[in-house]
């Protein structure tokens, strides 16, 4: 189900962009499926931790356990989002509480397919019999008066094995360039995710990532950037 060239690039280079045509084929969908999937992003909740830093960000959070043997993703009890040590300097030691995924989103067959495809990539990076999978849909908003920071923490790790960002939609947005570097800050990849269904994947054990601010193209209206961030870390 996962693409051989993407797996190859991820394991050698450490990061890779998968274009929608390739991802759609992997998932067995056509481009129109993203329009319907995007409706879940109309039902997110404010991120008060980002608000403290002056950024308007909406999100939800879900936690699954992936068992490769059965190919299953079991939702866990809703829990606090704990940033692993040695990763995101802003939030280490701070449990953050976010609204859970809606039922409609958690059970969306397209989400299940996306998770299965990403699970294949995680397995290419490490052998584990059980994986912690964290699922976060994000919307970052910006106005003429205030840029929107997709990653207010700057370049960082998530403290996991596989980190992925899937572009769901951009409206009226300039900027939002994703950068991946090695641990010494040398560039690995830079790209602006523009089209729904574009997927950025990275080996979080050996790369840092960050996204530049967005701002409105037309200053009279807000800019927004919707992504789905999914991470995988071995739990067993
Ligand atoms: Fe991150």
């Amino acid at each position: 189900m996962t693409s051989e060239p993407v797996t190859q690039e991820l394991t050698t280079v450490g990061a890779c962009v998968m274009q929608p045509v390739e991802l759609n084929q992997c998932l067995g969908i056509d481009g129109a499926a993203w329009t319907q999937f995007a409706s879940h992003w109309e039902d997110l909740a404010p991120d008060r931790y980002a608000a403290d830093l002056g950024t308007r960000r909406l999100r939800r959070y879900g936690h699954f356990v992936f068992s490769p043997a059965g190919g299953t993703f079991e939702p866990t009890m809703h829990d606090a989002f704990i940033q692993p040590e040695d990763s995101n300097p802003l939030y280490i030691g701070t449990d953050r509480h976010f609204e859970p995924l809606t039922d409609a989103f958690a059970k969306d067959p397209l989400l299940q397919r996306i998770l299965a495809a990403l699970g294949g990539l995680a397995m290419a990076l490490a052998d584990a019999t059980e994986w912690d999978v964290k699922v976060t849909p994000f919307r970052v908003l910006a106005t003429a008066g205030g840029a929107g920071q997709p990653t207010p923490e700057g370049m960082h790790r998530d403290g996991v094995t596989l980190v992925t960002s899937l572009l769901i939609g951009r409206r009226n947005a300039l900027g939002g360039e994703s950068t991946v570097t090695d641990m010494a800050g040398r560039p690995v990849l830079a790209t602006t995710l523009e089209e729904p269904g574009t997927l950025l994947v990275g080996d979080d054990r050996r790369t840092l990532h960050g996204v530049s601010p967005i701002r409105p193209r037309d200053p009279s209206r807000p800019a927004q950037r919707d992504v789905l961030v999914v991470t995988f870390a071995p739990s067993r």
Side-chain angles (χ1 to χ4, degrees):
M1 186 159 171
T2 35
S3 142
E4 193 49 48
V6 171
T7 307
Q8 177 89 22
E9 211 175 323
L10 174 65
T11 50
T12 53
V13 178
C16 176
V17 176
M18 195 170 182
Q19 297 301 330
V21 58
E22 203 179 349
L23 180 62
N24 294 351
Q25 198 178 7
C26 258
L27 299 172
I29 59 168
D30 62 29
W34 296 116
T35 311
Q36 198 190 345
F37 194 58
S39 65
H40 298 299
W41 272 251
E42 301 306 325
D43 191 9
L44 302 182
D47 176 346
R48 63 190 167 92
Y49 305 93
D52 289 345
L53 300 167
T55 275
R56 277 180 75 205
R57 189 157 76 167
L58 307 174
R59 69 194 293 169
R60 287 182 181 276
Y61 163 61
H63 185 182
F64 297 79
V65 173
F66 170 44
S67 305
T72 54
F73 286 84
E74 290 295 331
T76 66
M77 286 277 287
H78 188 63
D79 53 7
F81 187 91
I82 301 165
Q83 200 82 40
E85 279 181 34
D86 190 29
S87 61
N88 196 326
L90 263 186
Y91 298 118
I92 288 173
T94 313
D95 295 359
R96 291 178 289 163
H97 296 269
F98 301 117
E99 292 297 314
L101 302 181
T102 61
D103 255 12
F105 182 59
K107 292 180 179 150
D108 191 311
L110 181 48
L111 177 66
Q112 299 297 325
R113 285 188 202 198
I114 293 166
L115 294 180
L118 297 178
L121 290 175
M123 292 294 288
L125 289 180
D127 225 355
T129 54
E130 217 173 79
W131 293 80
D132 258 332
V133 181
K134 293 179 176 177
V135 175
T136 304
F138 277 114
R139 167 172 290 175
V140 169
L141 293 158
T143 57
Q149 299 273 3
T151 51
E153 60 272 59
M155 296 297 289
H156 66 279
R157 291 181 61 224
D158 283 9
V160 296
T161 297
L162 177 72
V163 59
T164 72
S165 292
L166 174 63
L167 200 278
I168 300 301
R170 282 170 63 106
R171 264 185 290 283
N172 192 36
L174 295 171
E177 185 187 42
S178 303
T179 303
V180 179
T181 69
D182 68 13
M183 301 307 280
R186 285 182 293 256
V188 171
L189 181 155
T191 186
T192 301
L193 306 176
E194 297 271 6
E195 198 187 328
T198 314
L199 174 68
L200 173 62
V201 299
D203 182 341
D204 196 52
R205 297 167 303 179
R206 59 175 174 128
T207 57
L208 303 169
H209 60 272
V211 183
S212 71
I214 62 164
R215 59 187 199 282
R217 186 181 293 277
D218 168 0
S220 68
R221 294 182 298 124
Q224 78 187 43
R225 178 179 183 271
D226 293 348
V227 293
L228 176 63
V229 172
V230 182
T231 65
F232 284 72
S235 52
R236 242 188 243 169

